[in-house]
Amino acid sequence: QVQLVESGGDSVQAGGSLRLSCQASRDTFRDYCLVWFRQAPGKEREGIALFDTDGYTTVPDSVKGRFSISKDNANNTLYLQMNGLKPEDTAMYYCAAGPPCGKKTHCSGGRCSPVLPDPSRFAYWGHGTQVTVPS
């Protein structure tokens, strides 16, 4: 049984920082691609940070330079560090586990950007943690 439990969500002023945690079972860490998703009211769920089984990590351009992903193998915990928070970062944040993700990019005009996998690829989800950045 894959179990994921998120924590760390809070209400924080614009420009502030938060670190979200996702406690996972040992097998989850070793065998699955782990992704942080977020979903704002009325919007689709979007992937914002990925940690793959081979150690590859990435974030989409929308949060590049502000968000980063890491994990502590000893404590089976996945982290999402969020700096420079903006009101548009307000959302429910979820961690999810699925099969190895691989590297996917979208190239346009000579510039390539990472593409995070669709939520439908992930069978295992936590219940989420709320992040609110008042405007």
Side-chain angles (χ1 to χ4, degrees):
Q1 179 95 22
V2 177
Q3 293 184 334
L4 303 168
V5 180
E6 303 95 336
S7 62
D10 203 348
S11 179
V12 60
Q13 290 186 345
S17 297
L18 278 176
R19 189 177 76 163
L20 305 185
S21 300
C22 175
Q23 185 74 39
S25 61
R26 180 174 57 87
D27 288 347
T28 306
F29 252 61
R30 184 177 64 242
D31 298 330
Y32 292 89
C33 177
L34 301 169
V35 175
W36 283 101
F37 288 88
R38 69 182 179 186
Q39 188 165 20
K43 294 189 177 181
E44 294 185 352
R45 193 167 293 192
E46 61 169 334
I48 55 168
L50 176 153
F51 204 122
D52 212 344
T53 54
D54 62 355
Y56 171 70
T57 64
T58 195
V59 298
D61 288 352
S62 59
V63 300
K64 188 175 182 180
R66 299 192 299 123
F67 290 13
S68 62
I69 189 170
S70 63
K71 69 177 181 176
D72 180 348
N73 287 325
N75 293 306
N76 301 325
T77 304
L78 183 75
Y79 298 105
L80 179 68
Q81 179 67 43
M82 305 186 293
N83 300 323
L85 283 162
K86 305 175 182 180
E88 51 263 43
D89 294 319
T90 295
M92 185 69 80
Y93 285 69
Y94 303 88
C95 65
C101 293
K103 300 178 184 178
K104 293 179 174 61
T105 57
H106 173 72
C107 298
S108 176
R111 185 173 179 274
C112 296
S113 302
V115 176
L116 271 68
D118 190 86
S120 62
R121 294 187 77 251
F122 294 83
Y124 305 107
W125 293 82
H127 289 105
T129 186
Q130 177 69 37
V131 173
T132 302
V133 187
S135 57

